[in-house]
Amino acid sequence: MLLPRRLPLLAGLLRSASSAASSLPPNPKNVSCREGFLWSSCYFHSTRHQTSREGAPMAKELLDPFALIKDEVCEISNRLRSMVVAEVPELTLAAGYFFRAGAEGKRTCPTVLLLMASSVSMDMADPIVGSKNEIRERYMRLAEITELIHVTSLIHDDVLDDVNTRRGMDSLNCVMGKKLAVLAGDFLLSKAFSIAAVSLDNTEVILLLATAVNNLVTGEFMQMRITPTQRCSMDYYLQKSYYKTAALISNSCKAVAVLAGQTAEVATLAYQYGKHLGIAYQLIDDILDFTGTSASLGKGSLSDIHQGIVTAPILFAMEEYPQLRVIVEQGFNDPSNVDAALEYLARSQGIERTRLLAAEHAKLAADAIDALPESKDGSVLISRQALKDLTEKLIKRTK
Amino acid sequence: MLLPRRLPLLAGLLRSASSAASSLPPNPKNVSCREGFLWSSCYFHSTRHQTSREGAPMAKELLDPFALIKDEVCEISNRLRSMVVAEVPELTLAAGYFFRAGAEGKRTCPTVLLLMASSVSMDMADPIVGSKNEIRERYMRLAEITELIHVTSLIHDDVLDDVNTRRGMDSLNCVMGKKLAVLAGDFLLSKAFSIAAVSLDNTEVILLLATAVNNLVTGEFMQMRITPTQRCSMDYYLQKSYYKTAALISNSCKAVAVLAGQTAEVATLAYQYGKHLGIAYQLIDDILDFTGTSASLGKGSLSDIHQGIVTAPILFAMEEYPQLRVIVEQGFNDPSNVDAALEYLARSQGIERTRLLAAEHAKLAADAIDALPESKDGSVLISRQALKDLTEKLIKRTK
């Protein structure tokens, strides 16, 4: 069993792995939700579900993946801050903008990747106690590289989409200008591949990371240069969503399995988990853009539709009300088109059907974890449960 | 000896390698010069130098590196066109903009790299005649990757510097907009690292390529955000020039030696060649910006000084006329400052001293080739001579 060096909480739970889901205390901390691109973690706390604690049926407490892996993720944040140093101070400032303490977002990518590492490491030999766990260190390097790529895409996308806020603060292009933001992104990307070459020494993993970058670019392009016909296509929307939101985490999850020396089957399951988690997240995100925290239509920021971005709820509504297609094809520069689309959406099952689709993807993600080779290792079981619980919490989130 | 598969001209010369420098006919073709970022090849033709052909002293004909390696470079161009295909047609158009026939520039990078490959391959086993020369193929992949990175930097730099023309045509940002140009660059960079991972399978080489990208970004940043004090510093100028113009070719030359399985000493010499060739090119380029083809001051495009970019000739002039520093620190938004700087430059030895510095770097590049382990192999000797001749032609170019 591969026991992460810095997981006291996880280590302390090893003796009661089979009852882990009910033995963990709820984490009352409710962190703010400011991350837009992948997903936020604000919904990963205090959700209750069916289980029994004192004989009587009651809601099960879902594992808090962020608490489980907190120490390692903190170390990753510290390392990221120290590695995005350029020869020229202003470039360091720009490149490090989203890695400052308090500006790092929810760090969901590294959390998922490290849990995935523990989930697929069941065949690894025990590390020598107290010695440097080199394998775990490589997973952490991979998580850092993934964060670098993630932030690169945030920075460049904000330039391309003229976005002024990110993670609840001014976007980098807003603070330091578009040109510096483009350069900072290029700098971070070169850092990512430098670290991959030096620390991972695995060209299959480097290819997965380069593929993810390629997908991110393709997804952004698909959004930026969409035609009226493409705007009405659910297939196009799902493909774009995969590229923009799920490709990085899915390829990185697969990379974890590759680094673990796992079989192609396990690598595919890891990939499937990341893919379906990412798509489910995006679908819920699309709903929340309409509803906000209140679950009432029109209470969200409506930022997608105001930017002309058509998402799943509207596409489902269009299936019920084909006359909505004319409005979607026209776009939403005219505010009356926004009002009309919201009216059709309110009458339709668009929100509900989107939620069902998200639940399907969340289930597919959990199924991928369940299909991993059997293990009785406590650390493995807890990590897998945390990854599955993440899918449940995700579809229930309200912000 | 490693005989490149597609080098009939080189193959035909093997029997007379020792007299190769005088046996090659001059290439009368004089191609146009449109490439700004690395260097152009228009000066690599018909230059004459001291040697004897029929007993009497006469000018030696310098080898034409581009003719020597032409077939392989054509194959690289064809492959580049086929590999920059994206899932969405418009992204393919943007990414392939500088790879279209007639738009590829002089392809100096691949030419240098393939000659370097032949120069450092003296210890390799003969390939089986007619069989696939896998080692040579890897050099070609490396040359393609270097071109992808080179074009990425062209495209992003043009966005950042608001450049409207490139290679004698509209820049990509001018034709398809800045946003698409940023995305096309990201796409090409991800392609470069994908191909590196798949085809080279060597993380040391991938690190060299990532380092080159990092240097390109740093150089562009140093130019974009220069302070008045930095603008007056020769050290700053040379460091920036290395990053912007020499870092890619020097790291790629080193990567060739690494792929060849060469010693660290040979890899360093290959790196030194690329570094000094790049810096010498930049220095001559800086002169030509003032003189153009006429060698008379003020006949060049003066594009550097009009953009506020201070180069070696002005920096040398400033050593003779310290009062020029005030003007340089003020910048060149005021046309009278341009006129005054040109006047000081005309009175100074700025142009001559820049030319001398370029000659020093060209000699250092040639010295690196001379310091390579001895070889009697005809192909190796011709390739090395071509690389050395390149340095001579470079400092004599007038356009």
Side-chain angles (χ1 to χ4, degrees), chain B residues 17 104 112 154 160 194 253 286 298 337 348-349 367 390 392 394-395:
Chain B
E104 320 107 304
V112 168
L154 295 183
L160 301 173
S194 293
C253 279
D286 294 343
N337 274 7
S348 77
Q349 297 294 307
D367 288 351
L390 201 60
E392 277 195 56
L394 185 150
I395 55 170

Side-chain angles (χ1 to χ4, degrees), chain A residues 363-379:
Chain A
K363 183 171 183 320
L364 288 169
D367 288 351
I369 299 299
D370 282 336
L372 288 170
E374 198 180 350
S375 171
K376 295 195 185 309
D377 184 299
S379 174

Side-chain angles (χ1 to χ4, degrees), chain B residues 315-366:
Chain B
L315 294 172
F316 278 127
M318 210 163 65
E319 287 181 15
E320 288 177 63
Y321 299 97
Q323 55 271 47
L324 177 54
R325 173 182 284 268
V326 181
I327 294 167
V328 170
E329 284 180 348
Q330 285 171 355
F332 297 97
N333 288 334
D334 180 350
S336 70
N337 274 7
V338 175
D339 294 340
L342 288 177
E343 210 175 302
Y344 280 115
L345 180 59
R347 278 192 246 161
S348 77
Q349 297 294 307
I351 296 289
E352 290 75 7
R353 289 180 68 189
T354 303
R355 201 177 296 282
L356 282 174
L357 185 59
E360 274 176 45
H361 280 285
K363 184 171 183 318
L364 287 169

Side-chain angles (χ1 to χ4, degrees), chain B residues 7-287:
Chain B
L7 275 180
L9 177 56
L10 188 53
L13 287 167
L14 291 183
R15 283 181 301 278
S16 57
S18 61
S19 61
S22 60
S23 68
L24 271 179
N27 187 332
K29 188 178 157 203
N30 202 334
V31 292
S32 64
C33 174
R34 296 178 298 181
E35 177 79 344
F37 184 74
L38 272 173
W39 49 77
S40 321
S41 68
C42 43
Y43 48 90
F44 295 141
H45 301 275
S46 305
T47 309
R48 289 170 178 274
H49 200 45
Q50 77 263 41
T51 188
S52 66
R53 182 171 268 180
E54 289 154 5
M58 61 174 287
K60 172 183 89 169
E61 285 159 16
L62 296 180
L63 288 172
D64 178 354
F66 292 86
L68 281 174
I69 219 81
K70 190 175 146 197
D71 290 349
E72 283 182 311
V73 172
C74 275
E75 186 174 327
I76 285 172
S77 293
N78 292 335
R79 275 185 54 91
L80 281 166
R81 274 189 280 280
S82 69
M83 71 177 60
V84 293
V85 174
E87 283 182 52
V88 273
E90 201 179 352
L91 186 54
T92 300
L93 266 181
Y97 186 73
F98 285 119
F99 296 107
R100 294 167 302 152
E104 320 107 304
K106 290 301 139 297
R107 296 170 290 185
T108 312
C109 263
T111 302
V112 168
L113 294 177
L114 291 176
L115 287 172
M116 183 60 78
S118 301
S119 296
V120 298
S121 297
M122 55 281 188
D123 298 321
M124 313 299 291
D126 274 356
I128 300 161
V129 176
S131 78
K132 188 173 167 68
N133 185 339
E134 288 181 359
I135 300 168
R136 192 74 187 174
E137 288 290 340
R138 292 180 81 204
Y139 295 135
M140 292 176 72
R141 293 304 82 77
L142 174 64
E144 288 154 15
I145 293 160
T146 304
E147 277 292 273
L148 288 169
I149 294 174
H150 174 44
V151 171
T152 297
S153 77
L154 295 183
I155 290 173
H156 278 193
D157 285 359
D158 285 353
V159 170
L160 301 173
D161 300 337
D162 294 316
V163 168
N164 292 325
T165 58
R166 168 70 67 182
R167 293 180 175 172
M169 56 189 146
D170 290 337
S171 63
L172 183 61
N173 44 300
C174 198
V175 174
M176 303 187 87
K178 288 186 178 189
K179 294 181 178 187
L180 195 50
V182 171
L183 268 185
D186 290 352
F187 176 83
L188 292 175
L189 203 54
S190 71
K191 272 279 172 192
F193 284 104
S194 293
I195 296 163
V198 171
S199 305
L200 303 184
D201 196 26
N202 185 312
T203 49
E204 188 179 350
V205 168
I206 293 174
L207 176 60
L208 288 168
L209 296 167
T211 301
V213 175
N214 192 296
N215 290 168
L216 285 163
V217 171
T218 306
E220 176 63 16
F221 182 88
M222 288 174 77
Q223 179 168 297
M224 213 169 78
R225 293 289 179 118
I226 197 166
T227 67
T229 307
Q230 288 164 341
R231 204 182 293 125
C232 296
S233 161
M234 181 66 90
D235 285 347
Y236 190 92
Y237 159 82
L238 285 173
Q239 187 64 48
K240 181 205 77 177
S241 297
Y242 165 71
Y243 283 149
K244 275 186 71 78
T245 315
L248 178 57
I249 192 69
S250 57
N251 279 290
S252 292
C253 279
K254 185 174 180 180
V256 163
V258 170
L259 280 182
Q262 273 294 353
T263 61
E265 288 71 25
V266 168
T268 301
L269 290 170
Y271 171 87
Q272 292 292 336
Y273 176 81
K275 173 185 167 182
H276 292 297
L277 190 79
I279 294 174
Y281 167 81
Q282 186 57 57
L283 289 164
I284 298 296
D285 210 51
D286 294 343
I287 292 173

Side-chain angles (χ1 to χ4, degrees), chain A residues 302-375:
Chain A
L302 300 176
S303 66
D304 288 338
I305 202 162
H306 281 302
Q307 287 181 73
I309 299 170
V310 172
T311 58
I314 294 286
L315 294 171
F316 278 127
M318 210 162 65
E319 287 181 16
E320 287 177 62
Y321 298 98
Q323 54 272 49
L324 177 53
R325 172 180 284 267
V326 181
I327 295 168
V328 169
E329 284 179 347
Q330 284 172 355
F332 296 96
N333 288 334
D334 181 350
S336 70
N337 274 6
V338 175
D339 295 340
L342 288 176
E343 208 174 305
Y344 281 115
L345 180 58
R347 277 192 247 162
S348 78
Q349 297 295 307
I351 296 287
E352 290 74 8
R353 288 180 68 189
T354 303
R355 202 177 296 282
L356 282 174
L357 185 59
E360 275 177 42
H361 281 283
K363 183 171 183 320
L364 288 169
D367 288 351
I369 299 299
D370 282 336
L372 288 170
E374 198 180 350
S375 171

